[in-house]
Amino acid sequence: MYCIEAKSLSKSYGNVTAVDSIDLSVESGKIFGFLGPNGAGKTTTIKLLTTLIPTSSGTINILGIDASRDPLGVRKKIGVVLQQPSYEPNLTVEKSLEKYGMMWDVDQKTRRKRVEELLSAFDLKDIRKKKNDDISIGQRRRVQVAREFMHDMDLLFLDEPTVGLDPSARRGLLDYIKGKVRDGLTIFFTTHILEEAEYLCDEIAIINHGKIIAIDTPEELKNKFGREKTIKIHIGNVENLSSILQGVGSYEISRDEGTVITIHSADSEQVLVKILQVLNSNNIPVDDLSVVPTSLEEIFLTVVKNSDTNSGVKT
Ligand SMILES: Nc1ncnc2c1ncn2[C@@H]1O[C@H](COP(=O)(O)OP(=O)(O)OP(=O)(O)O)[C@@H](O)[C@H]1O
Ligand SMILES: [Mg+2]
């Protein structure tokens, strides 16, 4: 079953097309990652899917509910943490959680239990009595994300939830999210941190200039766009290396402690074999050899750059 189904979804602000006829389907129980450069249309998409702003055209179905017919019905079943900070300056951390639970009509006993659970899961126990005004920006973000878990929901939208979080808080949040997904929650999540997307997401969509330019599992994205491998061969200092290696294909040489030959192309393996043959026949020993797998970050940059070139946008 799909939790989110959007067809030909568009949103324009004046003459800016922020979201340009996108199709999305997100299966329930999955973590869907939404990536893209600044201004690509991620936040606008989240606001459309959560019924916070009206669409210009297209249809949205959330958890089986037609969003244009019953926006309130949608809102009751989802959670959303927006990119924009939101907090009540004069409330303490624990009161913020408590009040959020009350807003959602969570009964007192459940509220108490959840407040304790979240204070501990988000490492907020030590500052539970402090006012939001008197805590750090990262701590405030943790409160903002934590309070969303006060209520029951089937689907949660998170717009860059980890911005401003230190590495351990970030990992804590990602693991907390993973646990919730195991219990049946579906997550729609945006981030700029690609390791995060790789760690968390079952499926990833990349959006640029309002259009989805790639959508797949992290593994398939790597298969499709990550054919280029980087291979590094470490050898000692050799004179005339470039003349020795003439005709083996494309590579780069850098000298630091010793010499590193870097091969980066779609036919890296073939070039590697040739170089090793030449080194061997010239009695040049190889000190070290490493293959660097393509990262999601490289794929992201390639895909976004290609789509800019194809759409005639200057970069
Ligand atoms: N309220 C608005 N009025 C006019 N234009 C807007 C408005 N909100 C967003 N835009 C424009 O729509 C486009 C998409 O913005 P959006 O906030 O969705 O991008 P984003 O992918 O979330 O970027 P970021 O990574 O910086 O958060 C941008 O060109 C932005 O300037
Ligand atoms: Mg945004």
Side-chain angles (χ1 to χ4, degrees):
M1 197 202 76
Y2 289 124
C3 239
I4 302 176
E5 238 187 330
K7 295 215 170 81
S8 314
L9 186 59
S10 294
K11 177 70 183 180
S12 302
Y13 296 108
N15 53 11
V16 174
T17 309
V19 171
D20 193 355
S21 193
I22 65 170
D23 293 321
L24 279 175
S25 8
V26 178
E27 275 178 58
S28 55
K30 301 276 179 190
I31 307 183
F32 188 88
F34 207 44
L35 313 180
N38 290 136
K42 302 179 298 295
T43 297
T44 306
T45 303
I46 285 196
K47 287 183 175 166
L48 290 169
L49 295 174
T50 55
T51 77
L52 295 174
I53 55 171
T55 61
S56 297
S57 61
T59 60
I60 300 171
N61 192 294
I62 300 289
L63 300 158
I65 306 167
D66 179 337
S68 66
R69 291 232 183 96
D70 186 11
L72 267 181
V74 169
R75 286 191 215 174
K76 276 186 199 152
K77 293 192 160 197
I78 63 172
V80 53
V81 177
L82 290 172
Q83 188 173 7
Q84 201 76 16
S86 149
Y87 61 95
E88 289 186 64
N90 290 318
L91 282 189
T92 63
V93 168
E94 62 181 9
K95 280 272 172 354
S96 310
L97 299 178
E98 168 74 12
K99 189 172 169 198
Y100 210 76
M102 282 167 78
M103 255 173 54
W104 278 92
D105 276 336
V106 178
D107 67 77
Q108 194 187 38
K109 198 172 149 220
T110 314
R111 278 201 314 267
R112 288 218 174 121
K113 192 173 131 253
R114 286 191 186 160
V115 168
E116 292 310 317
E117 199 182 290
L118 290 167
L119 286 173
S120 135
F122 285 78
D123 197 16
L124 298 167
K125 273 190 165 159
D126 294 346
I127 54 164
R128 62 188 297 161
K129 303 276 184 209
K130 281 198 174 184
K131 282 184 187 170
N132 285 315
D133 231 359
D134 302 333
I135 61 179
S136 77
I137 292 171
Q139 289 168 334
R140 246 180 244 151
R141 186 65 175 163
R142 265 147 57 189
V143 176
Q144 190 183 353
V145 178
R147 71 179 186 188
E148 206 56 47
F149 290 97
M150 284 297 294
H151 66 99
D152 292 315
M153 60 203 148
D154 297 323
L155 171 62
L156 173 60
F157 293 86
L158 297 166
D159 198 354
E160 297 188 30
T162 59
V163 168
L165 267 56
D166 65 47
S168 99
R170 184 183 301 153
R171 178 53 74 96
L173 172 60
L174 299 184
D175 288 338
Y176 187 77
I177 291 174
K178 277 193 171 183
K180 288 287 164 186
V181 170
R182 273 195 295 275
D183 296 341
L185 186 64
T186 307
I187 306 262
F188 187 97
F189 160 93
T190 75
T191 180
H192 284 119
I193 303 168
L194 297 168
E195 294 91 53
E196 215 168 271
E198 196 161 9
Y199 181 71
L200 205 61
C201 299
D202 299 299
E203 202 169 23
I204 288 174
I206 302 177
I207 182 172
N208 194 22
H209 303 297
K211 285 197 165 74
I212 289 180
I213 52 173
I215 185 162
D216 230 316
T217 61
E219 295 72 35
E220 271 308 306
L221 283 174
K222 285 190 172 179
N223 284 341
K224 272 191 199 161
F225 300 101
R227 267 163 310 197
E228 295 194 358
K229 275 199 193 89
T230 305
I231 301 173
K232 288 182 187 289
I233 309 167
H234 297 253
I235 56 176
N237 285 320
V238 178
E239 279 182 35
N240 307 327
L241 186 59
S242 39
S243 61
I244 294 172
L245 290 177
Q246 210 164 16
V248 296
S250 89
Y251 64 88
E252 274 173 38
I253 295 175
S254 57
R255 290 176 203 276
D256 189 5
E257 290 167 30
T259 302
V260 183
I261 307 166
T262 303
I263 316 166
H264 179 83
S265 62
D267 57 353
S268 294
E269 278 104 342
Q270 284 98 304
V271 179
L272 170 69
V273 171
K274 283 191 194 157
I275 290 182
L276 290 179
Q277 279 165 353
V278 173
L279 292 178
N280 189 34
S281 61
N282 284 277
N283 292 320
I284 302 167
V286 172
D287 296 337
D288 194 13
L289 185 77
S290 59
V291 181
V292 187
T294 312
S295 67
L296 198 59
E297 182 157 343
E298 283 170 82
I299 293 170
F300 176 82
L301 292 172
T302 311
V303 176
V304 169
K305 198 164 153 237
N306 288 346
S307 90
D308 280 343
T309 319
N310 295 341
S311 64
V313 178
K314 286 192 189 137
T315 46

